[in-house]
Amino acid sequence: MAAGNRKHNRLLTAILLSGVAFSAMIPGMIAPAWAQSTDIDSLQPSLPEDAKMLLSANEMVYNRDTERVIVRGAVQINYGGYQMVAQQVEYSQSTGRIVATGEIELIEPGGNKVYADRMDVTDDFGNGFVEAMRIETTDLTKLAAVNGERVNGEEIILNNAVYTACTPCATNPNHRSLWNIKAQRIIQNGKTRTVRLENAKFELFGKPIIFLPVLELPDHTVKRKSGFLFPQFKYTQKLGAGVSVPYYWAISPYMDATVTATGLTRQGFLLEGEFRQSFESGEHVLRMAGISQMDSSAFTDDTVDAQETTRGMIASRAKFEINPRWTFGWDVLVQSDNNFAKTYELSTFDGRTLTNQVYLTGLGKRNYFDARAFYFDIQDADPESVAENKQPVAQVLDYSYTSEDPVAGGELNIDVNLTNIHRNREDRYTVLGVNRFPGLSGTSHRLTAEAEWQRTFITPGGLSLTPLLAARGDILGLTMDDPGAAYSGSYYNDDAATRSMLTAGLEARYPILMATENSSHIFEPIAQVYVRPDEDYAGALPNEDAQSFVFDATSLFDRDKFSGYDRIEGGSRANLGFRYTGSLGNGYAVRAIAGQSFHLGGLNSFATDDLVKAGSDSGLETDRSDYVSMIGIDAPSGLTASLSGRFDERTLDLRRADTTLGYEGIRWQTALTYTRIEAQPTYGSRFDQDEIQTAAAYRFHDYWSVFGSVTYDINDEVITRDGLGITYDDQDTLFSLVYQRERDDEDSVANDWSIGARISFRTLGDINVGDTTFDGLDAR
């Protein structure tokens, strides 16, 4: 029946709100200070002004003499999105108390559920008592207490309370979480907005591992609060065992900082600081770290790690959204030596190469702009920092535009690139008597503009024809040191140069579809012809951005196969190939491509000498290129396989191969990769490279998995990298233990092996020991 009487409404509203008042503290009261994000102004819910109250019960009794209202028998109340059921509810107007009994269940609009056996509260819900209370939140956390009490409208006290998270319980009610927190008393103070845990124990696997006599945290109404975070642990070979204690400082709503002190048994005291500031359009992060090494002799002799004592770094990163299309930012690092951040495994700064940059980018519907200034920080153990001193300082601008409307019925693309490079030290090395110059000392400038137009025609018979026209021009300014007699080719040493390239091309494709009742197959012969003059100054100009060169099936049909702007593919060329795509009725999918490239006339750019020998031993330096092919298969069982190769055009000897075999099932996940690269002495690779990489993971129990990886150098007969780990993950608790070892002939790795561990408790936080990222597979 609907409850319309004012006294009855007061009764029902009080009942609902009293239950809500006890449960409002729960979703955020246990979580650590640094994890809070809820913004709630009071413990009382906000009910709609036009909310209608519905009451259903087997019996309602109102005694005027005693001023008591009783509803009993399958009581159901629905008001403002709150739903409550109980066996009996009694309200005394004279004492102002409400007593609800019998399998009480309250469901809030957000989905949280509160259960109790008995509830005794005042009608203003300022004071009250609840017995055998249980709470289940929508994020699958649970809290239970023997009883709960609300005092003076300010404090909620839970006695003998237990808190845990149990995601698997949603599908498996018999699952028991590995951890919980038990406290003799939990007190939330609405005035001070704090939660106090008294005589609390953190239990893991049913055993108490941490005892906290008193712990006070901000409640769910506090977004952030200064305080200590979870400690972190690490262990590496040459740093020793370490314990990191972070302190979080909430400076303002838009500014905070974290200071971390780490004690290392072999190297002493490492201090780190990170300052973060948010702006209306972006954010800025400033990070610093420093140490005075206690035992430099622990590192390998004649390395920068062994020679330095006082070490440190400062880094700044920022990103600002100027407007929806434009972004400005920077990411820079300055350190006392060239290996500090890598040696001490500072997060985000422990890579081999760090790119310092300032950038401005813009993205429109049909155009793109990117301007960047670069400086490369090479982290290795060389005290002379030779590798870093060879790196250039560069400024690069890229602009790309695609016409919105058709031009002569086709698509027009325009690309512009401006590059400025300065290097203080010549980058040169010799392999089997052949000198290569990845970079010359001095300064070079290059402005490139290129336009490409193409249009596709489909003939009545299904033949696809795509004519293409392209024009490119370059202006170069050169004030770089001449490589001298050490360079076997010719070098253009004037201060300025211009070059151009005009290309006319035609591509023909003839897709053939064959379909059966259970499968479909597409066979597509492809032919391309490009007519163009010779490359201007072929091999006589610096080559900074077109040094990496691999000819395989993925680049067979590229108009210009060089990887950057500094080289231009010249001379007429034809590319012939065949592509196949198949979908089989039993769930198998097959894809393949094979072909060859032919130099038709003019100067072959891949056969010309240049400063880095790009194109040498690539398979394109002859009139008939090597054969390239690729095939891939996907099976419904989770098995995948791919094979790509390059074969000598005369002998069909294998020059390069990449083979991958993988499987991903319910319990198994594995991948095996074999890579073979034949020696390319002129290009700088003196030996054949044959390597096998394998990684696998096996889930041997509901939440337990083991994983490992091995990288094996076949020619040197040595394991270059390996690792092993075990993990437990039930969505509430994550535990990983990882061992990794790396062999490094150049001594750029300070720590040859490391052990990492991570334990994470959902809603509480993480405890980390070292690094648990794992090559080949996700450690989780």
Side-chain angles (χ1 to χ4, degrees):
M1 59 182 173
N5 184 281
R6 181 177 60 84
K7 294 181 179 180
H8 295 169
N9 281 343
R10 183 183 181 192
L11 156 68
L12 301 174
T13 302
I15 293 172
L16 285 171
L17 298 188
S18 61
V20 170
F22 271 97
S23 65
M25 62 174 286
I26 302 305
M29 75 173 192
I30 298 295
W34 55 93
Q36 305 306 325
S37 60
T38 309
D39 187 8
I40 301 177
D41 293 331
S42 79
L43 298 179
Q44 303 180 18
S46 176
L47 296 173
E49 294 182 359
D50 59 347
K52 297 182 183 299
M53 181 177 293
L54 298 176
L55 168 66
S56 174
N58 294 336
E59 181 182 3
M60 174 179 283
V61 178
Y62 176 57
N63 190 322
R64 292 180 179 274
D65 296 333
T66 61
E67 295 185 322
R68 301 175 75 87
V69 179
I70 301 174
V71 289
R72 63 168 65 97
V75 180
Q76 298 183 35
I77 304 172
N78 192 319
Y79 182 44
Y82 291 88
Q83 303 174 54
M84 182 177 181
V85 297
Q87 291 300 315
Q88 177 175 301
V89 178
E90 180 178 337
Y91 174 52
S92 173
Q93 288 181 278
S94 59
T95 62
R97 298 197 70 86
I98 303 165
V99 178
T101 57
E103 300 179 359
I104 302 169
E105 179 180 351
L106 171 69
I107 303 178
E108 302 176 3
N112 293 337
K113 298 180 180 180
V114 182
Y115 304 91
D117 289 345
R118 176 181 172 84
M119 183 184 298
D120 184 349
V121 295
T122 58
D123 59 3
D124 63 356
F125 51 90
N127 297 276
F129 187 82
V130 177
E131 292 182 359
M133 183 173 66
R134 293 184 298 112
I135 297 176
E136 297 179 2
T137 67
T138 55
D139 66 349
L140 301 176
T141 59
K142 296 183 177 183
L143 187 140
V146 172
N147 54 60
E149 183 179 3
R150 183 168 173 82
V151 182
N152 300 325
E154 290 183 354
E155 288 188 344
I156 295 178
I157 303 173
L158 302 180
N159 297 305
N160 296 323
V162 180
Y163 170 85
T164 190
C166 191
T167 301
C169 294
T171 56
N172 180 13
N174 296 322
H175 180 81
R176 294 294 177 265
S177 179
L178 295 186
W179 62 269
N180 59 64
I181 296 176
K182 293 181 179 179
Q184 184 175 346
R185 289 211 310 172
I186 300 177
I187 305 170
Q188 184 193 37
N189 190 311
K191 184 176 182 179
T192 61
R193 296 188 175 187
T194 58
V195 176
R196 179 184 175 92
L197 285 78
E198 297 180 352
N199 295 325
K201 294 183 294 183
F202 180 84
E203 294 187 351
L204 186 63
F205 297 105
K207 303 296 182 181
I209 62 172
I210 299 176
F211 175 72
L212 301 169
V214 177
L215 177 63
E216 189 168 276
L217 304 171
D219 69 12
H220 61 293
T221 65
V222 179
K223 288 186 176 182
R224 301 178 305 161
K225 187 176 181 64
S226 301
F228 287 98
L229 310 184
F230 278 113
Q232 298 178 355
F233 307 90
K234 68 190 306 182
Y235 183 83
T236 55
Q237 181 185 14
K238 297 176 181 178
L239 304 181
V243 179
S244 299
V245 180
Y247 180 83
Y248 175 77
W249 182 21
I251 303 173
S252 76
Y254 315 103
M255 193 183 307
D256 59 15
T258 303
V259 178
T260 303
T262 302
L264 299 165
T265 56
R266 301 200 67 177
Q267 299 303 332
F269 185 76
L270 174 69
L271 185 64
E272 300 175 70
E274 184 172 284
F275 172 81
R276 298 167 293 270
Q277 184 171 9
S278 296
F279 301 88
E280 183 177 353
S281 60
E283 65 174 2
H284 173 236
V285 178
L286 179 66
R287 187 169 173 183
M288 295 170 284
I291 190 173
S292 178
Q293 291 187 161
M294 186 171 62
D295 183 15
S296 299
S297 63
F299 298 101
T300 304
D301 292 339
D302 299 324
T303 63
V304 66
D305 301 296
Q307 295 181 5
E308 297 290 336
T309 300
T310 302
R311 311 176 72 179
M313 56 81 71
I314 182 170
S316 175
R317 183 182 74 252
K319 182 179 181 180
F320 298 97
E321 303 287 344
I322 301 175
N323 59 40
R325 292 189 176 186
W326 289 92
T327 302
F328 170 71
W330 65 82
D331 190 352
V332 295
L333 166 72
V334 177
Q335 52 184 342
S336 58
D337 58 80
N338 60 306
N339 211 37
F340 168 66
K342 190 170 189 293
T343 298
Y344 284 88
E345 300 179 343
L346 302 182
S347 175
T348 72
F349 299 107
D350 55 356
R352 164 74 167 156
T353 301
L354 301 175
T355 302
N356 297 272
Q357 60 179 316
V358 180
Y359 60 88
L360 173 66
T361 62
L363 179 63
K365 292 182 178 180
R366 306 283 288 183
N367 58 358
Y368 172 73
F369 175 91
D370 185 276
R372 294 174 186 265
F374 294 97
Y375 172 76
F376 301 99
D377 197 341
I378 306 299
Q379 296 202 97
D380 59 25
D382 179 13
E384 302 299 325
S385 302
V386 173
E388 182 171 326
N389 290 331
K390 292 179 179 179
Q391 296 302 306
V393 176
Q395 299 83 41
V396 180
L397 182 150
D398 283 292
Y399 176 76
S400 179
Y401 169 78
T402 300
S403 61
E404 185 173 356
D405 300 318
V407 177
E411 183 180 82
L412 177 65
N413 295 281
I414 298 175
D415 294 301
V416 177
N417 175 266
L418 174 63
T419 299
N420 175 70
I421 290 177
H422 177 78
R423 182 181 282 100
N424 290 323
R425 181 170 184 167
E426 179 184 82
D427 187 1
R428 166 187 169 185
Y429 66 93
T430 303
V431 176
L432 298 177
V434 178
N435 296 317
R436 301 182 76 241
F437 298 84
L440 301 176
S441 59
T443 303
S444 67
H445 317 275
R446 177 182 43 75
L447 173 63
T448 299
E450 184 174 33
E452 180 187 82
W453 173 90
Q454 59 180 347
R455 181 180 180 182
T456 299
F457 299 88
I458 306 296
T459 67
L463 178 65
S464 174
L465 297 174
T466 304
L468 175 146
L469 296 173
R472 169 176 165 171
D474 295 319
I475 300 175
L476 298 97
L478 306 171
T479 56
M480 308 186 81
D481 295 340
D482 194 305
Y487 177 44
S488 57
S490 60
Y491 178 74
Y492 184 84
N493 57 6
D494 288 353
D495 292 341
T498 60
R499 62 181 179 181
S500 61
M501 178 62 66
L502 299 174
T503 303
L506 178 66
E507 179 183 86
R509 299 171 181 258
Y510 192 67
I512 302 170
L513 173 63
M514 295 180 61
T516 66
E517 184 177 351
N518 299 317
S519 64
S520 63
H521 310 268
I522 299 176
F523 303 90
E524 189 178 24
I526 304 172
Q528 295 175 327
V529 176
Y530 296 111
V531 179
R532 54 200 165 197
D534 296 342
E535 178 187 6
D536 293 332
Y537 308 109
L541 298 173
N543 179 2
E544 295 279 355
D545 69 355
Q547 298 182 9
S548 175
F549 190 82
V550 175
F551 174 53
D552 57 19
T554 63
S555 58
L556 173 62
F557 297 111
D558 290 347
R559 173 172 62 86
D560 189 333
K561 295 178 175 59
F562 283 113
S563 58
Y565 286 100
D566 285 338
R567 291 296 307 269
I568 306 174
E569 183 178 341
S572 298
R573 180 171 291 274
N575 302 313
L576 300 178
F578 183 85
R579 178 177 292 155
Y580 165 77
T581 304
S583 178
L584 309 183
N586 54 7
Y588 285 83
V590 183
R591 59 198 181 278
I593 187 172
Q596 190 176 24
S597 184
F598 300 86
H599 177 68
L600 302 180
L603 179 66
N604 186 346
S605 295
F606 304 106
T608 59
D609 197 5
D610 82 348
L611 290 166
V612 295
K613 315 302 179 187
S616 299
D617 304 319
S618 65
L620 286 167
E621 69 275 12
T622 55
D623 289 343
R624 292 176 58 242
S625 77
D626 287 348
Y627 296 99
V628 291
S629 64
M630 183 277 294
I631 184 171
I633 300 174
D634 298 318
S637 62
L639 185 68
T640 61
S642 65
L643 171 64
S644 65
R646 178 166 65 87
F647 304 88
D648 187 274
E649 82 279 6
R650 290 178 289 107
T651 65
L652 294 182
D653 290 342
L654 184 63
R655 301 300 185 195
R656 183 184 181 100
D658 293 283
T659 304
T660 300
L661 181 65
Y663 173 77
E664 185 169 353
I666 297 176
R667 289 189 174 273
W668 274 100
Q669 177 187 352
T670 184
L672 176 66
T673 301
Y674 167 70
T675 302
R676 171 177 171 76
I677 304 175
E678 191 178 64
Q680 299 173 264
T682 307
Y683 189 58
S685 177
R686 68 178 74 186
F687 305 113
D688 292 346
Q689 300 178 49
D690 294 90
E691 186 177 81
I692 293 178
Q693 299 180 25
T694 180
Y698 174 63
R699 193 178 72 178
F700 61 89
H701 199 267
D702 288 342
Y703 307 109
W704 288 94
S705 299
V706 292
F707 49 88
S709 71
V710 175
T711 300
Y712 181 71
D713 188 325
I714 298 176
N715 298 320
D716 290 343
E717 299 181 350
V718 64
I719 294 176
T720 58
R721 188 182 301 111
D722 63 320
L724 182 67
I726 186 170
T727 186
Y728 172 91
D729 186 2
D730 66 3
Q731 301 182 59
D732 293 320
T733 307
L734 169 65
F735 169 75
S736 291
L737 181 65
V738 176
Y739 166 81
Q740 295 190 87
R741 181 181 60 172
E742 183 174 358
R743 174 178 174 269
D744 184 27
D745 292 332
E746 298 180 359
D747 292 325
S748 63
V749 178
N751 302 297
D752 300 325
W753 58 267
S754 64
I755 296 176
R758 175 188 176 192
I759 186 166
S760 174
F761 305 106
R762 186 173 71 88
T763 74
L764 296 184
D766 294 356
I767 299 176
N768 294 288
V769 180
D771 186 8
T772 57
T773 56
F774 192 76
D775 292 335
L777 293 170
D778 188 338
R780 292 176 292 178

